[in-house]
Amino acid sequence: MRNGSVQHRPFFKVLIANRGEIALRVMRSARKLGLGVVAVYSDADRDALHVQQADQAVRVGEALPAQSYLNIAAIIAAAKASGADAVHPGYGFLAENEEFAQACKDAGLVFIGPSPQAIETMGNKAGAKEIMKKAGVPVVPGYQGADQGDEVMLAEAREIGFPVMIKAVAGGGGRGMRLVADANSFPEALRSARSEAKAAFGDPTVILERAIQNPRHIEIQVFGDSHGNAIHLGERDCSVQRRHQKLIEEAPSTAVTPDLRAKMGEVAVAAVKALRYEGAGTLEFLLDASGGFYFMEMNTRLQVEHPVTEAITGLDLVELQLRVARGESLPVKQQDIRFTGHAIEVRLCSEDAAQDFMPQSGRMARWQVPDGIRVEHALQSGSEIPPFYDSMIAKVIGHGATREEARGRLIVGLEQLTGFGVTTNQTFLMSCLRHPGFAKGEATTAFIGAHRDELLAPRADAAFDMALAGLLLYVTNPQAPSWRRGRSLAATCPLPAKIEIAGQALELEVWRERDGSYIVARNGRQDKFEIDQLDLDGIRFRHDGVMDSAKFLRDGDRLHLQRRGIPLAATDLTLAAPKAAASNGDGKVRAAMNGRVVAVLVKPGDRVTAGQPVMTLEAMKMEHVHKAGIDGVVAAIDVAEGEQVTTGRIVAEIGAE
């Protein structure tokens, strides 16, 4: 299966059919080879960094992916309009869509990836499993039949045995995937998986697999060219996941021995050669505790986690893609590949880990990345993070001579990275990296589920950070009353301050001592701060004889604070007008994020109980169920399926019985 009938396919300008950090990543390697680069953008991305940095940029539609980044005709037209003669799909969106690859070929464009036939054969999970079974590769037991009827699917799930995994045939990245524990929850999980798969990939077809408990998720990076050559670049361990989406990836895996690596690599290369596969690909396996491995799927594209392989091999995988696409032979042979050190990547996502990883969107008021560590991103201070796309906003990669060195560098890099304005999983990632189980290399796919409470536990010195936030809110407030001076300030002149952190209102007292230091008191605790330096970017201070520092940003009544990599957001309520207390249990179901209504699960007049699902919203390509807060009767449904809603909007109303 080859991309074309000619050996050499020269091209000079590449259109990148993607957005964000991967668009910038492809631009970097393309320019290294002397190629021009063209960006595409939706209305939501008009001012995005990948648009600004491209040689040319073409609008391809409205904000929703189906109207822009998934619009094949618009992207082909953009390539023609810009004079591009090749297309790089990045990952996600149309990267594994055989119709898109064929459309590029029909339009005379070089598709930087495998042939449409290879994408169709191996990108389809059911077809790929059949090919692997015939080749003698062990696969996970399951069902991948053409009959997708609800009753048939439930019967097959019972036959396989619960728990089962529902997976989108055309998908990846956790979209359209559901772990189902029993038959009762299967119908709704099936509906939800199909809906999510349809929205993300345009295909609602799913397969079923037996759920292997607590495995490692191991993938093998492969490359093939049009001359029949094929290589593997070792494995990546992608076991640390939430919502079946990878959060931390590393190479090599602590669970893979040299013999197992050779065996898995041999299987992967044999598959590539049998397919006459061209370009980058990844074979994904589940590895059980006994060392048995089972083929899951093949991703016929570049992976999000490709930088860890680049770090330990010294190869530029995007450059290899470009060279193979223009008909060159792979520049390295299997015996030439050397693995050096260890690399770990984390995915920084705009989500609230404490709220079940709820996606977040909005304006990134301040964005600063550290020096000395690789950060793949497409952000700058003031960038808007729209609610329509994947929540991953950056990747941070640590590389070292040993795993411990790579882990340490990555933790320091995360401590130094600053993202103020939108909640991210920065703190959660550091908790994962510092956890003893991860530090020992023992993490399986059950890691986050098993240690969730530990990973989300507040830090031991949270009270100190609250005090620091209270101090900064007060001393940076231009409307604050002047500091009083006198002989006994501590005893007679405490100034009340009220702040809100994580929805909790806190009352503090702040005063200034005669020596210029500040005291912040709350619930009998007193913290003394001596400020050495205070400017728009940060504060240096002394506390208990130790000099420390923190970054902060004052944005109206809002304060963004970060000390040792742990961000905190606080609101100044001291001078604010009293607000009516928000009622709890008022029966109103409010949108928890900006998103699109994909399923209304009840209708007016229905009786519901507290905790019952009433509506499903989709944000950043993931579905989120909204539930009733009280027992009662549905009084009104205030939105329609397909409607885009904003955070806080009332979507349903429930009246008490």
Side-chain angles (χ1 to χ4, degrees):
M1 297 181 182
R2 301 191 181 210
N3 277 343
S5 58
V6 295
Q7 281 296 71
H8 298 287
R9 304 177 288 263
F11 50 84
F12 306 96
K13 185 186 291 188
V14 179
L15 179 138
I16 303 163
N18 220 294
R19 64 182 298 277
E21 58 88 18
I22 184 56
L24 291 181
R25 169 69 190 91
V26 174
M27 286 182 199
R28 191 164 69 242
S29 290
R31 284 178 167 144
K32 186 167 69 172
L33 294 181
L35 302 171
V37 290
V38 181
V40 293
Y41 64 91
S42 70
D43 289 343
D45 281 339
R46 181 182 182 88
D47 299 319
L49 200 59
H50 78 277
V51 176
Q52 298 175 24
Q53 295 196 7
D55 300 329
Q56 297 170 278
V58 184
R59 176 186 179 273
V60 289
E62 299 177 17
L64 291 175
Q67 300 165 350
S68 51
Y69 297 108
L70 291 173
N71 187 333
I72 294 176
I75 291 174
I76 297 297
K80 293 293 188 181
S82 63
D85 45 8
V87 174
H88 194 300
Y91 38 67
F93 294 132
L94 296 169
E96 294 179 283
N97 185 305
E98 66 273 12
E99 293 180 5
F100 180 54
Q102 186 64 51
C104 290
K105 184 177 179 180
D106 293 344
L109 301 167
V110 174
F111 180 77
I112 301 169
S115 68
Q117 295 81 9
I119 294 174
E120 182 178 16
T121 300
M122 295 306 292
N124 182 293
K125 290 183 175 65
K129 286 182 67 175
E130 287 302 316
I131 289 173
M132 289 297 160
K133 284 173 68 175
K134 291 177 182 177
V137 179
V139 300
V140 181
Y143 172 74
Q144 45 269 341
D147 191 338
Q148 293 276 302
D150 291 358
E151 293 183 2
V152 170
M153 297 296 282
L154 179 57
E156 292 291 343
R158 293 182 189 275
E159 180 69 21
I160 294 166
F162 289 97
V164 299
M165 191 72 76
I166 303 173
K167 289 186 175 182
V169 161
R175 277 100 191 172
M177 184 182 295
R178 296 291 185 274
L179 176 63
V180 188
D182 52 53
N184 290 335
S185 53
F186 185 83
E188 172 55 24
L190 180 63
R191 184 215 62 79
S192 180
R194 286 170 169 165
S195 174
E196 198 168 88
K198 177 68 174 176
F201 312 111
D203 184 353
T205 309
V206 297
I207 64 172
L208 305 178
E209 289 181 352
R210 178 183 298 163
I212 297 176
Q213 300 298 307
N214 303 333
R216 298 275 192 145
H217 185 139
I218 305 295
E219 59 188 32
I220 303 292
Q221 175 71 62
V222 294
F223 257 94
D225 65 24
S226 59
H227 304 273
N229 302 307
I231 58 172
H232 77 84
L233 302 179
E235 83 282 358
R236 295 184 290 256
D237 192 322
C238 308
S239 299
V240 179
Q241 306 175 4
R242 58 93 179 90
R243 292 181 178 270
H244 309 297
Q245 287 186 300
K246 304 161 188 173
L247 275 188
I248 303 177
E249 302 104 345
E250 61 180 303
S253 169
T254 59
V256 175
T257 64
D259 287 346
L260 181 57
R261 178 176 302 116
K263 186 176 181 180
M264 296 179 78
E266 183 180 346
V267 166
V269 168
V272 171
K273 286 185 175 180
L275 290 164
R276 301 188 68 82
Y277 183 90
E278 297 179 33
T282 303
L283 279 77
E284 303 205 2
F285 299 89
L286 293 179
L287 177 67
D288 66 24
S290 66
F293 61 93
Y294 304 88
F295 173 80
M296 289 193 299
E297 63 190 53
M298 182 176 184
N299 293 308
T300 53
R301 55 168 167 81
L302 190 71
Q303 293 280 83
V304 173
E305 56 273 19
H306 75 272
V308 296
T309 298
E310 293 184 326
I312 66 168
T313 62
L315 298 172
D316 181 332
L317 270 60
V318 177
E319 180 183 343
L320 288 182
Q321 282 188 297
L322 295 167
R323 291 190 180 280
V324 166
R326 63 189 188 188
E328 297 180 22
S329 297
L330 283 167
V332 292
K333 298 185 182 300
Q334 193 67 56
Q335 59 267 29
D336 299 328
I337 296 165
R338 298 288 182 270
F339 302 114
T340 304
H342 200 100
I344 308 175
E345 171 185 292
V346 294
R347 302 188 187 190
L348 186 73
C349 300
S350 54
E351 62 186 23
D352 189 345
Q355 300 297 321
D356 196 26
F357 304 100
M358 187 73 70
Q360 306 291 301
S361 56
R363 178 175 172 270
M364 187 65 78
R366 178 176 295 166
W367 175 257
Q368 296 172 329
V369 298
D371 296 327
I373 193 167
R374 181 173 175 179
V375 182
E376 296 287 347
H377 69 99
L379 294 173
Q380 56 189 343
S381 295
S383 289
E384 288 289 336
I385 298 175
F388 311 106
Y389 315 117
D390 193 276
S391 63
M392 189 188 76
I393 57 174
K395 304 180 303 194
V396 188
I397 303 97
H399 181 222
T402 64
R403 184 176 187 271
E404 189 61 17
E405 189 174 296
R407 188 175 72 94
R409 286 180 176 174
L410 188 50
I411 291 171
V412 170
L414 284 170
E415 287 182 342
Q416 295 175 345
L417 183 145
T418 302
F420 287 154
V422 179
T423 300
T424 72
N425 62 343
Q426 182 176 1
T427 301
F428 185 77
L429 291 172
M430 287 191 287
S431 294
C432 290
L433 293 171
R434 288 176 169 139
H435 191 277
F438 182 84
K440 294 176 184 177
E442 298 173 349
T444 69
T445 55
F447 174 75
I448 287 178
H451 302 290
R452 183 169 181 145
D453 291 344
E454 299 169 65
L455 297 172
L456 291 171
R459 59 191 292 180
D461 52 356
F464 171 77
D465 283 342
M466 291 179 184
L468 180 59
L471 172 69
L472 282 169
L473 275 170
Y474 200 91
V475 300
T476 61
N477 191 335
Q479 298 180 352
S482 302
W483 293 109
R484 305 179 190 180
R485 298 182 181 278
R487 281 168 46 88
S488 55
L489 291 175
T492 62
C493 299
L495 299 173
K498 188 174 183 179
I499 67 175
E500 182 182 35
I501 297 176
Q504 180 183 7
L506 308 172
E507 294 188 357
L508 313 170
E509 289 185 331
V510 185
W511 65 86
R512 190 173 188 180
E513 298 277 45
R514 290 175 177 168
D515 62 3
S517 63
Y518 296 92
I519 304 293
V520 180
R522 176 176 177 263
N523 292 343
R525 171 187 170 125
Q526 291 189 2
D527 288 282
K528 180 176 181 178
F529 297 92
E530 300 174 59
I531 299 177
D532 290 345
Q533 181 180 343
L534 182 69
D535 55 36
L536 294 177
D537 184 59
I539 181 173
R540 290 193 66 81
F541 60 91
R542 300 172 192 271
H543 180 267
D544 289 342
V546 177
M547 180 174 285
D548 207 339
S549 63
K551 300 176 183 178
F552 74 91
L553 173 66
R554 179 73 188 245
D555 186 8
D557 289 337
R558 192 77 165 161
L559 177 86
H560 301 283
L561 169 67
Q562 180 172 307
R563 187 174 68 91
R564 298 177 194 164
I566 307 297
L568 180 148
T571 302
D572 189 353
L573 303 179
T574 306
L575 301 177
K579 297 180 181 179
S583 60
N584 293 318
D586 61 0
K588 292 180 172 59
V589 181
R590 295 173 173 84
M593 81 294 282
N594 294 342
R596 183 171 65 91
V597 179
V598 296
V600 178
L601 306 176
V602 295
K603 61 183 183 298
D606 286 355
R607 293 184 180 276
V608 296
T609 57
Q612 179 178 334
V614 297
M615 192 167 298
T616 304
L617 269 63
E618 179 191 78
M620 293 180 167
K621 299 198 285 186
M622 295 292 288
E623 288 196 350
H624 303 272
V625 176
H626 287 53
K627 301 177 181 179
I630 61 172
D631 296 342
V633 176
V634 178
I637 299 295
D638 300 298
V639 294
E641 287 190 9
E643 187 174 347
Q644 192 73 27
V645 299
T646 55
T647 303
R649 177 173 170 182
I650 296 172
V651 296
E653 300 173 55
I654 300 168
E657 293 186 277

